[in-house]
Amino acid sequence: MTRITPENPASCPTIVIAPDAFKSTATAQQAAQWLSDGVASVTPHAHVITSPMADGGEGTSALFDGELITLPTTDAAGRLTEASYTFDAASATAYIDVAAASGLPKVADHPVATTGDTFGTGVLIADAETRGARRIVMGLGGSATVDGGTGILVALGVNPLNSAGYSLNPGGAALIDLADFDTAKVNIPAASVDWVLLADALVPATGPDGAAAVFGPQKGASEADVDALDRALARLCEVTGVDGSTPGFGAAGAIPVGLHWLSRLLHGNDDHVQVLPGAQVVAEASGLAARLAGADFVITGEGRCDSQTAKGKVVSVVIDAARRSDANPAVAVVSGEFRAPLPEGVTAVTLDELGDDVGVQEQLTRAGARAAEAYLRISTAQG
């Protein structure tokens, strides 16, 4: 293996490592560290800067400063579980991932696309308000539900009703019978917070590119289920008066629909809810642009690069930021699988298939080393 040494000053680069989490196998922090270990084996004298990233999915809240709060709640299937979020008392802000309580991994043994709800996430929100939170920054990626946020509404004291005045069953499919909401017991302090919703994909709530159609199958929905869920979300939009075609409102099974309706009910306007591209927000909060300003080489990555990657995922945001940087660093993407082409000039590094006895740490460490080797070849060729 060629090693980069300090004898040649040009061979001591600044390398920024900014990956997303590798779904359920490595957090963004772990991925950044293990890639860095691999880089160090090839470039021991390089200046390596790790900048873990997220796009609103699992692990987003952990990237923000604050106290880690863990409490009992329920998963998307209504079973008892524990979940954590980050609370920053100084800014009265709680950083909550929908995936923490209502995520897919917790119900992998029992998919609940039509019946699962976000009640457990609502429990975290209510708890955060009691600690002084006046602003909720919510990562919307990785949810197991398509309930339009109605589980959260129930946890905050809002009861969805059918035309006979009876409470609806949990889950998105039941919303086809939605007629009204009982708000007599709404938790006003928790419901009236400011919401910053971090979407990992700016899809609409309904239609062929909506929440049910795009993400329903990943959550265990059949073709018939997708159709039923789409019609149910359309009914939710009709009752709430929310435009289901709004980009981002389909994130996390259309949670923004329910929260926009609730916030408008209490404030009389839509000024207290924002839906933003999650990776962009994390990039700005972490100072990624400043870190790239002096970079020679950038490594990013995610578990799988596919057609969704270019639509605001971490990899695309990091590549775009590198391209906008005056430093114009070389870029490599590490992934377990590439199902879509990368932009021209970006190096793809596929994780090695090393067998069941080799963990993801070794895979990412080796990938970091191979990315550094690729950079060495590029920089040598360019003189």
Side-chain angles (χ1 to χ4, degrees):
M1 177 183 292
T2 303
R3 290 172 65 85
I4 297 179
T5 65
E7 281 72 26
N8 177 5
S11 70
C12 299
T14 295
I15 300 175
V16 175
I17 301 178
D20 196 358
F22 283 65
K23 299 292 186 184
S24 302
T25 59
T27 66
Q29 294 91 332
Q30 289 172 326
Q33 182 58 58
W34 296 338
L35 289 168
S36 177
D37 292 343
V39 167
S41 71
V42 176
T43 63
H45 301 285
H47 176 46
V48 177
I49 302 170
T50 58
S51 185
M53 289 284 293
D55 59 10
E58 182 180 1
T60 299
S61 69
L63 298 182
F64 292 91
D65 293 333
E67 179 185 1
L68 182 67
I69 307 295
T70 302
L71 66 151
T73 184
T74 56
D75 66 16
R79 302 174 300 193
L80 187 64
T81 188
E82 279 193 346
S84 301
Y85 67 91
T86 300
F87 176 57
D88 179 26
S91 62
T93 300
Y95 300 93
I96 298 174
D97 296 341
V98 171
S102 311
L104 275 170
K106 288 183 179 291
V107 293
D109 62 327
H110 179 59
V112 288
T114 59
T115 59
D117 72 3
T118 50
F119 182 91
T121 298
V123 171
L124 304 185
I125 294 166
D127 180 81
E129 187 279 325
T130 67
R131 298 175 191 271
R134 296 304 306 145
R135 180 171 174 258
I136 304 291
V137 178
M138 187 183 301
L140 297 181
S143 74
T145 60
V146 191
D147 76 339
T150 51
I152 294 174
L153 299 188
V154 172
L156 299 184
V158 177
N159 195 18
L161 305 174
N162 64 18
S163 59
Y166 293 109
S167 298
L168 296 182
N169 289 328
L175 295 175
I176 193 66
D177 294 322
L178 179 67
D180 201 357
F181 292 96
D182 178 1
T183 60
K185 297 181 180 180
V186 62
N187 181 344
I188 293 176
S192 61
V193 299
D194 289 336
W195 306 91
V196 179
L197 308 179
L198 306 183
D200 60 344
L202 296 179
V203 299
T206 57
D209 298 317
V214 174
F215 297 113
Q218 299 175 12
K219 303 176 184 187
S222 66
E223 186 174 341
D225 291 337
V226 167
D227 179 66
L229 287 168
D230 187 63
R231 288 185 289 108
L233 290 178
R235 177 59 182 166
L236 174 65
C237 291
E238 180 183 1
V239 173
T240 59
V242 173
D243 183 358
S245 67
T246 305
F249 275 34
I255 282 177
V257 173
L259 294 185
H260 263 80
W261 169 81
L262 180 63
S263 185
R264 184 193 301 155
L265 176 71
L266 295 175
H267 293 287
N269 56 53
D270 295 332
D271 297 345
H272 297 267
V273 186
Q274 299 179 76
V275 179
L276 302 174
Q280 290 284 4
V281 171
V282 173
E284 292 171 9
S286 67
L288 180 65
R291 293 174 176 178
L292 295 177
D296 299 290
F297 183 41
V298 179
I299 302 174
T300 185
E302 62 181 357
R304 183 178 70 192
C305 290
D306 55 23
S307 60
Q308 293 296 317
T309 298
K311 299 178 180 179
K313 296 285 191 177
V314 164
V315 166
S316 64
V317 167
V318 174
I319 291 173
D320 290 345
R323 293 279 171 84
R324 291 194 304 270
S325 171
D326 291 339
N328 192 28
V331 181
V333 176
V334 174
S335 183
E337 185 179 4
F338 290 91
R339 292 189 176 182
L342 295 174
E344 185 177 356
V346 176
T347 301
V349 179
T350 305
L351 295 180
D352 290 328
E353 294 286 347
L354 300 176
D356 294 337
D357 58 335
V358 178
V360 68
Q361 179 175 356
E362 179 64 17
Q363 289 180 306
L364 287 167
T365 300
R366 294 193 187 191
R370 288 195 289 121
E373 285 283 333
Y375 169 72
L376 176 59
R377 290 192 297 271
I378 293 168
S379 60
T380 301
Q382 293 177 344

